[in-house]
């Protein structure tokens, strides 16, 4: 069976996990020092957000070199002290810290997958600098150029076209203007990306999380997108013809010599769109944003979505299970409103339902959203751009700030708070930190640790559902010999049981013909034949 099918992955936002040198930014040495923490927690794999050289317009998702490490995350002191050594010897400089991290992770049995941004590069990338230098440059068609823009809008707001005065043409950017979209219709671009994939596979990574991967192909006649109620519908600039072939080519290249885990971020919350790129010849899994990024969750919605995922996914393909990431509000704030029991219940769901769980760093200690009182406290371009666009459109400062707070992804990117109390940094963190209740931190940590140990010790994680039912506010599903009960109600409930059962995880009172559970309780029962 594929290694990923029973694994739990832990997403690490590089800037915010652990700083080793006091500069306020997380780095590979800091991350390496925390691998034993992750072993104690019980995860099987790590997903790293971008760590490549980047101007950091979009916190690393604007890549200026796909085959190196940002000096902020590598050996910064060596980089500054001996540039000749850094550039001439691949065993020194930024890659050295990455390679030490990879060796240490491998020694602990932890798989590492890395974020790859194949839809666009930074405008500081060497490819783009050549592309913009002249209309006849061999790399001109590495990007998408037009004499006149159409009405397409960036997903960050404003026009998706930027005039480059050097050649008098517009280049396409589906996100920030500093993030120029690569032209996947050009075979030379696909060949370059294969070299990037080969580089990191040779470094030992176990797979890739592919950013906004359904934006790779466009309708190259560039018809205007429809606009409904002043909102653009992105009809012609994502999910276009040729995407499945592109994903099949990526998958075939990656899997030539060994098993490689491919995760796709699909910029959609529509399950049929999300599911269709998951198959044996394309991506292993695609992120289920229809489930993970909702604003409200109850027993009925969970039951409905779990059933929809069973219907939409092809045979053998599994959903992803997550409630947090670097792009969304933290679920202890968004879904639980700080309620510790409800937060634990959602964690229980994520780690016992059928699928591949992705824990976002800090969830295991109950980290909440950061709060902001000014735009100066923010770092994320999505929030700050919304603020200044609102001001330009005539909004007052308070309304613009409220819009920025709603749009910013910074609220989920605060520096890590560890259960052992050791600080993220000895210096000034790159962004403000959340304050947590120590007792609640330890309670959450021990809950996650126990739940992950229970998961690791039993084979249910590899099983299909043999039943999936909803009774009032209590969701139940059976996988193998285990029956899982999740009570979403605010008061206690007695759930009837047909078979003789043994309580093996969680808190409940076993009765002669049922089990009594408290508010927001999740329990596991071993069902006897």
């Amino acid at each position: 069976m594929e290694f990923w099918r029973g694994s739990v992955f832990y997403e690490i936002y590089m800037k915010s996990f652990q700083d080793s040198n006091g500069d306020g930014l997380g780095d590979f040495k800091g991350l390496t020092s925390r691998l034993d923490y992750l072993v104690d927690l019980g995860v099987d794999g790590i997903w790293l957000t971008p760590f490549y050289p980047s101007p950091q317009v979009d916190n690393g998702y604007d890549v200026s070199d796909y085959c190196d490490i940002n000096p902020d995350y590598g050996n910064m002191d060596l980089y500054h002290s001996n540039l000749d050594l850094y550039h001439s010897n691949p065993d020194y400089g930024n890659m050295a810290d990455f390679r030490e991290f990879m060796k240490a992770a491998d020694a602990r049995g932890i798989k590492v997958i890395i974020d790859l941004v194949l839809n666009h590069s930074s405008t500081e990338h060497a490819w783009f600098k050549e592309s913009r230098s002249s209309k006849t440059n061999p790399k001109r068609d590495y990007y998408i150029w037009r004499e006149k823009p159409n009405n397409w809008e960036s997903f960050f707001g404003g026009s998706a076209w930027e005039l480059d005065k050097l050649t008098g043409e517009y280049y396409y950017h589906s996100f920030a203007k500093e993030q120029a979209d690569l032209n996947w219709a050009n075979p030379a671009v696909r060949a370059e990306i294969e070299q990037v994939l080969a580089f990191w596979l040779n470094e030992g990574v176990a797979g890739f999380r592919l950013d906004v991967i359904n934006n790779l192909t466009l309708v190259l006649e560039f018809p205007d997108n429809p606009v409904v109620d002043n909102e653009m519908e992105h009809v012609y600039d994502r999910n276009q013809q040729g995407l499945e072939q592109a994903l099949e080519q990526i998958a075939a290249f990656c899997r030539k010599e060994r098993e490689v885990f491919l995760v796709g971020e699909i910029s959609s919350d529509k399950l049929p769109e999300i599911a269709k790129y998951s198959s044996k010849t394309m991506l292993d899994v695609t992120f289920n944003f229809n489930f993970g990024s909702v604003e409200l969750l109850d027993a009925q919605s969970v039951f409905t979505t779990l059933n929809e995922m069973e219907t939409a996914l092809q045979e053998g393909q599994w959903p992803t299970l997550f409630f947090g990431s670097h792009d969304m509000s933290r679920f202890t704030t968004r879904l639980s409103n700080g309620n510790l029991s409800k937060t634990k219940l959602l964690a229980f769901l994520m780690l016992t339902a059928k699928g591949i769980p992705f824990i976002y760093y800090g969830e295991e200690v109950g980290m909440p959203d950061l709060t902001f009182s000014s735009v100066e406290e923010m770092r994320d371009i999505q929030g700050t751009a919304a603020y200044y666009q609102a001001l330009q459109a005539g909004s007052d400062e308070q309304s613009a700030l409220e819009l920025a707070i709603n749009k910013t992804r910074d609220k989920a990117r605060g520096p890590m708070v560890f259960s052992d109390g050791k600080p993220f940094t000895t210096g000034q963190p790159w962004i403000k930190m959340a304050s947590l209740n120590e007792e609640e931190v330890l309670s959450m940590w021990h809950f996650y640790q126990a739940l992950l140990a229970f998961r690791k010790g039993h084979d249910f994680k590899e099983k299909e559902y043999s039943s999936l039912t909803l009774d009032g506010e209590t969701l139940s599903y059976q996988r193998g010999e285990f029956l899982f009960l999740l009570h979403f109600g605010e008061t206690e409930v007695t759930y009837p049981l047909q078979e003789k059962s043994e309580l093996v995880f969680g808190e409940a009172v076993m009765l002669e013909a049922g089990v009594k559970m408290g508010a927001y309780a999740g329990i596991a029962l071993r069902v006897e034949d």
Side-chain angles (χ1 to χ4, degrees), residues 4 9 47 113-116 207-211 213 255 260-266 282-287 320 356 358:
W4 49 267
F9 287 87
W47 155 29
I113 66 171
I114 63 174
D115 226 316
L116 265 186
F208 303 100
R209 180 265 192 186
L210 302 175
D211 187 60
I213 200 65
R255 295 170 179 147
V260 173
F261 184 37
L262 297 178
V263 183
E265 181 200 23
I266 308 301
M282 289 187 284
L283 304 171
D284 290 304
V285 297
T286 48
F287 279 152
T320 55
I356 313 300
F358 286 82

PDB file of all heavy atoms in Angstrom, residues 4 9 47 113-116 207-211 213 255 260-266 282-287 320 356 358:
ATOM      1  N   TRP A   4       1.608   6.996   1.810  1.00  0.00           N
ATOM      2  CA  TRP A   4       0.851   8.159   2.247  1.00  0.00           C
ATOM      3  C   TRP A   4      -0.559   7.821   2.721  1.00  0.00           C
ATOM      4  O   TRP A   4      -1.170   8.598   3.448  1.00  0.00           O
ATOM      5  CB  TRP A   4       0.749   9.186   1.110  1.00  0.00           C
ATOM      6  CG  TRP A   4       0.302   8.631  -0.212  1.00  0.00           C
ATOM      7  CD1 TRP A   4       1.098   8.191  -1.235  1.00  0.00           C
ATOM      8  CD2 TRP A   4      -1.053   8.428  -0.654  1.00  0.00           C
ATOM      9  NE1 TRP A   4       0.328   7.747  -2.285  1.00  0.00           N
ATOM     10  CE2 TRP A   4      -0.994   7.884  -1.957  1.00  0.00           C
ATOM     11  CE3 TRP A   4      -2.303   8.671  -0.080  1.00  0.00           C
ATOM     12  CZ2 TRP A   4      -2.131   7.566  -2.698  1.00  0.00           C
ATOM     13  CZ3 TRP A   4      -3.448   8.354  -0.802  1.00  0.00           C
ATOM     14  CH2 TRP A   4      -3.349   7.808  -2.099  1.00  0.00           C
ATOM     15  N   PHE A   9       0.130  14.080   7.893  1.00  0.00           N
ATOM     16  CA  PHE A   9       1.103  15.103   7.517  1.00  0.00           C
ATOM     17  C   PHE A   9       0.903  16.363   8.365  1.00  0.00           C
ATOM     18  O   PHE A   9      -0.197  16.656   8.821  1.00  0.00           O
ATOM     19  CB  PHE A   9       0.985  15.436   6.025  1.00  0.00           C
ATOM     20  CG  PHE A   9       1.512  14.348   5.140  1.00  0.00           C
ATOM     21  CD1 PHE A   9       0.687  13.293   4.756  1.00  0.00           C
ATOM     22  CD2 PHE A   9       2.825  14.346   4.714  1.00  0.00           C
ATOM     23  CE1 PHE A   9       1.169  12.267   3.966  1.00  0.00           C
ATOM     24  CE2 PHE A   9       3.320  13.331   3.922  1.00  0.00           C
ATOM     25  CZ  PHE A   9       2.498  12.284   3.538  1.00  0.00           C
ATOM     26  N   TRP A  47       4.850  18.676   5.492  1.00  0.00           N
ATOM     27  CA  TRP A  47       4.697  19.474   4.270  1.00  0.00           C
ATOM     28  C   TRP A  47       5.299  20.844   4.571  1.00  0.00           C
ATOM     29  O   TRP A  47       4.856  21.537   5.472  1.00  0.00           O
ATOM     30  CB  TRP A  47       3.229  19.566   3.865  1.00  0.00           C
ATOM     31  CG  TRP A  47       2.850  20.761   3.041  1.00  0.00           C
ATOM     32  CD1 TRP A  47       3.628  21.457   2.167  1.00  0.00           C
ATOM     33  CD2 TRP A  47       1.571  21.422   3.020  1.00  0.00           C
ATOM     34  NE1 TRP A  47       2.939  22.496   1.599  1.00  0.00           N
ATOM     35  CE2 TRP A  47       1.681  22.489   2.097  1.00  0.00           C
ATOM     36  CE3 TRP A  47       0.360  21.191   3.668  1.00  0.00           C
ATOM     37  CZ2 TRP A  47       0.602  23.348   1.830  1.00  0.00           C
ATOM     38  CZ3 TRP A  47      -0.699  22.043   3.399  1.00  0.00           C
ATOM     39  CH2 TRP A  47      -0.586  23.107   2.481  1.00  0.00           C
ATOM     40  N   ILE A 113       7.398  16.329   2.145  1.00  0.00           N
ATOM     41  CA  ILE A 113       6.924  16.819   0.857  1.00  0.00           C
ATOM     42  C   ILE A 113       7.068  18.332   0.859  1.00  0.00           C
ATOM     43  O   ILE A 113       7.013  18.972   1.914  1.00  0.00           O
ATOM     44  CB  ILE A 113       5.478  16.387   0.546  1.00  0.00           C
ATOM     45  CG1 ILE A 113       4.475  17.033   1.514  1.00  0.00           C
ATOM     46  CG2 ILE A 113       5.344  14.873   0.596  1.00  0.00           C
ATOM     47  CD1 ILE A 113       3.017  16.803   1.109  1.00  0.00           C
ATOM     48  N   ILE A 114       7.289  18.894  -0.313  1.00  0.00           N
ATOM     49  CA  ILE A 114       7.570  20.327  -0.398  1.00  0.00           C
ATOM     50  C   ILE A 114       6.586  21.007  -1.348  1.00  0.00           C
ATOM     51  O   ILE A 114       6.076  20.406  -2.286  1.00  0.00           O
ATOM     52  CB  ILE A 114       9.021  20.603  -0.849  1.00  0.00           C
ATOM     53  CG1 ILE A 114       9.282  20.063  -2.261  1.00  0.00           C
ATOM     54  CG2 ILE A 114      10.004  19.997   0.148  1.00  0.00           C
ATOM     55  CD1 ILE A 114      10.654  20.436  -2.815  1.00  0.00           C
ATOM     56  N   ASP A 115       6.333  22.266  -1.061  1.00  0.00           N
ATOM     57  CA  ASP A 115       5.456  23.084  -1.885  1.00  0.00           C
ATOM     58  C   ASP A 115       6.189  23.476  -3.164  1.00  0.00           C
ATOM     59  O   ASP A 115       7.316  23.973  -3.106  1.00  0.00           O
ATOM     60  CB  ASP A 115       5.095  24.360  -1.109  1.00  0.00           C
ATOM     61  CG  ASP A 115       3.620  24.682  -1.171  1.00  0.00           C
ATOM     62  OD1 ASP A 115       3.059  24.586  -2.268  1.00  0.00           O
ATOM     63  OD2 ASP A 115       3.036  25.029  -0.134  1.00  0.00           O
ATOM     64  N   LEU A 116       5.547  23.275  -4.310  1.00  0.00           N
ATOM     65  CA  LEU A 116       6.090  23.766  -5.573  1.00  0.00           C
ATOM     66  C   LEU A 116       5.062  24.670  -6.245  1.00  0.00           C
ATOM     67  O   LEU A 116       3.887  24.297  -6.367  1.00  0.00           O
ATOM     68  CB  LEU A 116       6.448  22.616  -6.507  1.00  0.00           C
ATOM     69  CG  LEU A 116       7.901  22.133  -6.493  1.00  0.00           C
ATOM     70  CD1 LEU A 116       8.109  21.088  -7.582  1.00  0.00           C
ATOM     71  CD2 LEU A 116       8.893  23.262  -6.662  1.00  0.00           C
ATOM     72  N   GLY A 207       7.631  13.871  -2.059  1.00  0.00           N
ATOM     73  CA  GLY A 207       6.527  14.311  -2.900  1.00  0.00           C
ATOM     74  C   GLY A 207       6.411  15.816  -2.942  1.00  0.00           C
ATOM     75  O   GLY A 207       7.247  16.547  -2.402  1.00  0.00           O
ATOM     76  N   PHE A 208       5.339  16.262  -3.590  1.00  0.00           N
ATOM     77  CA  PHE A 208       5.133  17.685  -3.803  1.00  0.00           C
ATOM     78  C   PHE A 208       3.675  18.062  -3.528  1.00  0.00           C
ATOM     79  O   PHE A 208       2.761  17.313  -3.862  1.00  0.00           O
ATOM     80  CB  PHE A 208       5.454  18.071  -5.258  1.00  0.00           C
ATOM     81  CG  PHE A 208       6.849  17.722  -5.681  1.00  0.00           C
ATOM     82  CD1 PHE A 208       7.089  16.579  -6.434  1.00  0.00           C
ATOM     83  CD2 PHE A 208       7.920  18.526  -5.327  1.00  0.00           C
ATOM     84  CE1 PHE A 208       8.375  16.244  -6.835  1.00  0.00           C
ATOM     85  CE2 PHE A 208       9.215  18.202  -5.715  1.00  0.00           C
ATOM     86  CZ  PHE A 208       9.440  17.055  -6.472  1.00  0.00           C
ATOM     87  N   ARG A 209       3.501  19.212  -2.937  1.00  0.00           N
ATOM     88  CA  ARG A 209       2.192  19.851  -2.877  1.00  0.00           C
ATOM     89  C   ARG A 209       2.234  20.922  -3.956  1.00  0.00           C
ATOM     90  O   ARG A 209       3.066  21.827  -3.921  1.00  0.00           O
ATOM     91  CB  ARG A 209       1.958  20.456  -1.484  1.00  0.00           C
ATOM     92  CG  ARG A 209       0.593  21.154  -1.323  1.00  0.00           C
ATOM     93  CD  ARG A 209       0.699  22.622  -1.583  1.00  0.00           C
ATOM     94  NE  ARG A 209      -0.480  23.377  -1.182  1.00  0.00           N
ATOM     95  CZ  ARG A 209      -0.654  24.671  -1.422  1.00  0.00           C
ATOM     96  NH1 ARG A 209       0.287  25.360  -2.055  1.00  0.00           N
ATOM     97  NH2 ARG A 209      -1.749  25.281  -1.026  1.00  0.00           N
ATOM     98  N   LEU A 210       1.365  20.810  -4.948  1.00  0.00           N
ATOM     99  CA  LEU A 210       1.399  21.665  -6.128  1.00  0.00           C
ATOM    100  C   LEU A 210       0.393  22.792  -5.978  1.00  0.00           C
ATOM    101  O   LEU A 210      -0.820  22.567  -5.921  1.00  0.00           O
ATOM    102  CB  LEU A 210       1.127  20.832  -7.384  1.00  0.00           C
ATOM    103  CG  LEU A 210       2.116  19.668  -7.589  1.00  0.00           C
ATOM    104  CD1 LEU A 210       1.708  18.823  -8.791  1.00  0.00           C
ATOM    105  CD2 LEU A 210       3.544  20.178  -7.749  1.00  0.00           C
ATOM    106  N   ASP A 211       0.891  24.009  -5.920  1.00  0.00           N
ATOM    107  CA  ASP A 211       0.100  25.192  -5.615  1.00  0.00           C
ATOM    108  C   ASP A 211      -0.809  25.562  -6.790  1.00  0.00           C
ATOM    109  O   ASP A 211      -0.379  25.526  -7.950  1.00  0.00           O
ATOM    110  CB  ASP A 211       1.063  26.345  -5.299  1.00  0.00           C
ATOM    111  CG  ASP A 211       0.374  27.585  -4.816  1.00  0.00           C
ATOM    112  OD1 ASP A 211      -0.300  27.525  -3.784  1.00  0.00           O
ATOM    113  OD2 ASP A 211       0.526  28.641  -5.479  1.00  0.00           O
ATOM    114  N   ILE A 213      -2.789  24.363  -8.799  1.00  0.00           N
ATOM    115  CA  ILE A 213      -2.359  23.621  -9.975  1.00  0.00           C
ATOM    116  C   ILE A 213      -3.400  23.633 -11.086  1.00  0.00           C
ATOM    117  O   ILE A 213      -3.069  23.408 -12.259  1.00  0.00           O
ATOM    118  CB  ILE A 213      -1.972  22.172  -9.571  1.00  0.00           C
ATOM    119  CG1 ILE A 213      -1.067  21.537 -10.624  1.00  0.00           C
ATOM    120  CG2 ILE A 213      -3.207  21.343  -9.265  1.00  0.00           C
ATOM    121  CD1 ILE A 213       0.282  22.192 -10.763  1.00  0.00           C
ATOM    122  N   ARG A 255       7.130   9.709 -11.082  1.00  0.00           N
ATOM    123  CA  ARG A 255       7.025   8.320 -10.627  1.00  0.00           C
ATOM    124  C   ARG A 255       7.834   7.342 -11.480  1.00  0.00           C
ATOM    125  O   ARG A 255       7.622   6.134 -11.389  1.00  0.00           O
ATOM    126  CB  ARG A 255       5.550   7.912 -10.610  1.00  0.00           C
ATOM    127  CG  ARG A 255       4.727   8.707  -9.594  1.00  0.00           C
ATOM    128  CD  ARG A 255       3.251   8.450  -9.761  1.00  0.00           C
ATOM    129  NE  ARG A 255       2.487   9.197  -8.761  1.00  0.00           N
ATOM    130  CZ  ARG A 255       1.268   9.696  -8.979  1.00  0.00           C
ATOM    131  NH1 ARG A 255       0.688   9.533 -10.159  1.00  0.00           N
ATOM    132  NH2 ARG A 255       0.638  10.356  -8.031  1.00  0.00           N
ATOM    133  N   VAL A 260       6.032   8.510  -5.430  1.00  0.00           N
ATOM    134  CA  VAL A 260       6.099   9.931  -5.082  1.00  0.00           C
ATOM    135  C   VAL A 260       4.679  10.403  -4.799  1.00  0.00           C
ATOM    136  O   VAL A 260       3.762  10.159  -5.582  1.00  0.00           O
ATOM    137  CB  VAL A 260       6.731  10.758  -6.228  1.00  0.00           C
ATOM    138  CG1 VAL A 260       6.643  12.251  -5.917  1.00  0.00           C
ATOM    139  CG2 VAL A 260       8.181  10.350  -6.461  1.00  0.00           C
ATOM    140  N   PHE A 261       4.489  11.067  -3.676  1.00  0.00           N
ATOM    141  CA  PHE A 261       3.175  11.546  -3.240  1.00  0.00           C
ATOM    142  C   PHE A 261       2.910  12.912  -3.855  1.00  0.00           C
ATOM    143  O   PHE A 261       3.671  13.866  -3.646  1.00  0.00           O
ATOM    144  CB  PHE A 261       3.158  11.624  -1.718  1.00  0.00           C
ATOM    145  CG  PHE A 261       1.843  12.014  -1.112  1.00  0.00           C
ATOM    146  CD1 PHE A 261       0.639  11.590  -1.643  1.00  0.00           C
ATOM    147  CD2 PHE A 261       1.812  12.783   0.049  1.00  0.00           C
ATOM    148  CE1 PHE A 261      -0.579  11.929  -1.055  1.00  0.00           C
ATOM    149  CE2 PHE A 261       0.614  13.134   0.643  1.00  0.00           C
ATOM    150  CZ  PHE A 261      -0.582  12.709   0.083  1.00  0.00           C
ATOM    151  N   LEU A 262       1.818  13.020  -4.621  1.00  0.00           N
ATOM    152  CA  LEU A 262       1.463  14.269  -5.291  1.00  0.00           C
ATOM    153  C   LEU A 262       0.131  14.785  -4.756  1.00  0.00           C
ATOM    154  O   LEU A 262      -0.896  14.114  -4.849  1.00  0.00           O
ATOM    155  CB  LEU A 262       1.378  14.054  -6.802  1.00  0.00           C
ATOM    156  CG  LEU A 262       2.677  13.642  -7.500  1.00  0.00           C
ATOM    157  CD1 LEU A 262       2.435  13.426  -8.990  1.00  0.00           C
ATOM    158  CD2 LEU A 262       3.785  14.678  -7.278  1.00  0.00           C
ATOM    159  N   VAL A 263       0.180  15.985  -4.203  1.00  0.00           N
ATOM    160  CA  VAL A 263      -0.986  16.641  -3.613  1.00  0.00           C
ATOM    161  C   VAL A 263      -1.290  17.885  -4.432  1.00  0.00           C
ATOM    162  O   VAL A 263      -0.386  18.671  -4.723  1.00  0.00           O
ATOM    163  CB  VAL A 263      -0.710  17.051  -2.152  1.00  0.00           C
ATOM    164  CG1 VAL A 263      -1.947  17.673  -1.531  1.00  0.00           C
ATOM    165  CG2 VAL A 263      -0.210  15.877  -1.340  1.00  0.00           C
ATOM    166  N   GLY A 264      -2.535  18.073  -4.795  1.00  0.00           N
ATOM    167  CA  GLY A 264      -2.892  19.244  -5.578  1.00  0.00           C
ATOM    168  C   GLY A 264      -3.770  20.210  -4.821  1.00  0.00           C
ATOM    169  O   GLY A 264      -4.750  19.805  -4.195  1.00  0.00           O
ATOM    170  N   GLU A 265      -3.388  21.493  -4.865  1.00  0.00           N
ATOM    171  CA  GLU A 265      -4.306  22.540  -4.410  1.00  0.00           C
ATOM    172  C   GLU A 265      -5.128  22.977  -5.607  1.00  0.00           C
ATOM    173  O   GLU A 265      -4.580  23.479  -6.594  1.00  0.00           O
ATOM    174  CB  GLU A 265      -3.552  23.740  -3.834  1.00  0.00           C
ATOM    175  CG  GLU A 265      -4.521  24.810  -3.336  1.00  0.00           C
ATOM    176  CD  GLU A 265      -3.915  26.195  -3.198  1.00  0.00           C
ATOM    177  OE1 GLU A 265      -2.904  26.480  -3.855  1.00  0.00           O
ATOM    178  OE2 GLU A 265      -4.482  26.999  -2.438  1.00  0.00           O
ATOM    179  N   ILE A 266      -6.422  22.762  -5.536  1.00  0.00           N
ATOM    180  CA  ILE A 266      -7.334  23.147  -6.607  1.00  0.00           C
ATOM    181  C   ILE A 266      -8.085  24.390  -6.146  1.00  0.00           C
ATOM    182  O   ILE A 266      -8.734  24.369  -5.101  1.00  0.00           O
ATOM    183  CB  ILE A 266      -8.330  22.005  -6.923  1.00  0.00           C
ATOM    184  CG1 ILE A 266      -7.577  20.686  -7.177  1.00  0.00           C
ATOM    185  CG2 ILE A 266      -9.209  22.378  -8.103  1.00  0.00           C
ATOM    186  CD1 ILE A 266      -6.594  20.722  -8.310  1.00  0.00           C
ATOM    187  N   MET A 282      -2.865  10.820 -12.305  1.00  0.00           N
ATOM    188  CA  MET A 282      -2.636  12.243 -12.041  1.00  0.00           C
ATOM    189  C   MET A 282      -2.192  12.433 -10.592  1.00  0.00           C
ATOM    190  O   MET A 282      -1.188  11.875 -10.170  1.00  0.00           O
ATOM    191  CB  MET A 282      -3.883  13.060 -12.387  1.00  0.00           C
ATOM    192  CG  MET A 282      -4.154  13.157 -13.877  1.00  0.00           C
ATOM    193  SD  MET A 282      -5.524  14.289 -14.307  1.00  0.00           S
ATOM    194  CE  MET A 282      -6.934  13.285 -13.867  1.00  0.00           C
ATOM    195  N   LEU A 283      -2.930  13.211  -9.833  1.00  0.00           N
ATOM    196  CA  LEU A 283      -2.569  13.501  -8.456  1.00  0.00           C
ATOM    197  C   LEU A 283      -3.102  12.410  -7.530  1.00  0.00           C
ATOM    198  O   LEU A 283      -4.170  11.855  -7.761  1.00  0.00           O
ATOM    199  CB  LEU A 283      -3.148  14.854  -8.044  1.00  0.00           C
ATOM    200  CG  LEU A 283      -2.759  16.039  -8.930  1.00  0.00           C
ATOM    201  CD1 LEU A 283      -3.567  17.274  -8.567  1.00  0.00           C
ATOM    202  CD2 LEU A 283      -1.264  16.333  -8.813  1.00  0.00           C
ATOM    203  N   ASP A 284      -2.349  12.127  -6.467  1.00  0.00           N
ATOM    204  CA  ASP A 284      -2.826  11.144  -5.491  1.00  0.00           C
ATOM    205  C   ASP A 284      -4.039  11.671  -4.744  1.00  0.00           C
ATOM    206  O   ASP A 284      -5.032  10.963  -4.564  1.00  0.00           O
ATOM    207  CB  ASP A 284      -1.709  10.801  -4.498  1.00  0.00           C
ATOM    208  CG  ASP A 284      -0.599  10.010  -5.145  1.00  0.00           C
ATOM    209  OD1 ASP A 284      -0.879   8.943  -5.714  1.00  0.00           O
ATOM    210  OD2 ASP A 284       0.561  10.469  -5.092  1.00  0.00           O
ATOM    211  N   VAL A 285      -3.947  12.916  -4.288  1.00  0.00           N
ATOM    212  CA  VAL A 285      -5.067  13.543  -3.581  1.00  0.00           C
ATOM    213  C   VAL A 285      -5.142  15.007  -3.963  1.00  0.00           C
ATOM    214  O   VAL A 285      -4.150  15.609  -4.408  1.00  0.00           O
ATOM    215  CB  VAL A 285      -4.928  13.426  -2.037  1.00  0.00           C
ATOM    216  CG1 VAL A 285      -4.951  11.981  -1.592  1.00  0.00           C
ATOM    217  CG2 VAL A 285      -3.668  14.127  -1.540  1.00  0.00           C
ATOM    218  N   THR A 286      -6.329  15.574  -3.803  1.00  0.00           N
ATOM    219  CA  THR A 286      -6.515  17.011  -3.977  1.00  0.00           C
ATOM    220  C   THR A 286      -7.177  17.557  -2.718  1.00  0.00           C
ATOM    221  O   THR A 286      -7.980  16.878  -2.074  1.00  0.00           O
ATOM    222  CB  THR A 286      -7.404  17.304  -5.201  1.00  0.00           C
ATOM    223  OG1 THR A 286      -8.571  16.481  -5.151  1.00  0.00           O
ATOM    224  CG2 THR A 286      -6.651  17.038  -6.493  1.00  0.00           C
ATOM    225  N   PHE A 287      -6.820  18.767  -2.350  1.00  0.00           N
ATOM    226  CA  PHE A 287      -7.328  19.343  -1.108  1.00  0.00           C
ATOM    227  C   PHE A 287      -8.829  19.631  -1.193  1.00  0.00           C
ATOM    228  O   PHE A 287      -9.286  20.297  -2.123  1.00  0.00           O
ATOM    229  CB  PHE A 287      -6.581  20.633  -0.774  1.00  0.00           C
ATOM    230  CG  PHE A 287      -5.255  20.414  -0.119  1.00  0.00           C
ATOM    231  CD1 PHE A 287      -4.228  21.347  -0.256  1.00  0.00           C
ATOM    232  CD2 PHE A 287      -5.004  19.287   0.640  1.00  0.00           C
ATOM    233  CE1 PHE A 287      -3.006  21.162   0.354  1.00  0.00           C
ATOM    234  CE2 PHE A 287      -3.783  19.090   1.258  1.00  0.00           C
ATOM    235  CZ  PHE A 287      -2.783  20.027   1.114  1.00  0.00           C
ATOM    236  N   THR A 320      -8.792  14.358   1.371  1.00  0.00           N
ATOM    237  CA  THR A 320      -7.919  14.964   2.379  1.00  0.00           C
ATOM    238  C   THR A 320      -8.786  15.496   3.501  1.00  0.00           C
ATOM    239  O   THR A 320      -9.949  15.871   3.287  1.00  0.00           O
ATOM    240  CB  THR A 320      -7.082  16.105   1.780  1.00  0.00           C
ATOM    241  OG1 THR A 320      -7.958  17.057   1.161  1.00  0.00           O
ATOM    242  CG2 THR A 320      -6.092  15.567   0.760  1.00  0.00           C
ATOM    243  N   ILE A 356      -6.692  11.465   4.245  1.00  0.00           N
ATOM    244  CA  ILE A 356      -5.319  11.812   4.608  1.00  0.00           C
ATOM    245  C   ILE A 356      -5.352  13.099   5.421  1.00  0.00           C
ATOM    246  O   ILE A 356      -5.674  14.171   4.893  1.00  0.00           O
ATOM    247  CB  ILE A 356      -4.425  12.025   3.363  1.00  0.00           C
ATOM    248  CG1 ILE A 356      -4.626  10.897   2.352  1.00  0.00           C
ATOM    249  CG2 ILE A 356      -2.965  12.168   3.778  1.00  0.00           C
ATOM    250  CD1 ILE A 356      -4.300   9.535   2.880  1.00  0.00           C
ATOM    251  N   PHE A 358      -4.121  16.446   7.366  1.00  0.00           N
ATOM    252  CA  PHE A 358      -3.055  17.458   7.337  1.00  0.00           C
ATOM    253  C   PHE A 358      -3.268  18.370   8.549  1.00  0.00           C
ATOM    254  O   PHE A 358      -4.217  19.157   8.584  1.00  0.00           O
ATOM    255  CB  PHE A 358      -3.105  18.274   6.050  1.00  0.00           C
ATOM    256  CG  PHE A 358      -2.614  17.533   4.837  1.00  0.00           C
ATOM    257  CD1 PHE A 358      -3.453  16.658   4.167  1.00  0.00           C
ATOM    258  CD2 PHE A 358      -1.312  17.688   4.386  1.00  0.00           C
ATOM    259  CE1 PHE A 358      -3.008  15.958   3.053  1.00  0.00           C
ATOM    260  CE2 PHE A 358      -0.859  16.999   3.266  1.00  0.00           C
ATOM    261  CZ  PHE A 358      -1.701  16.121   2.606  1.00  0.00           C
TER     262      PHE A 358
END
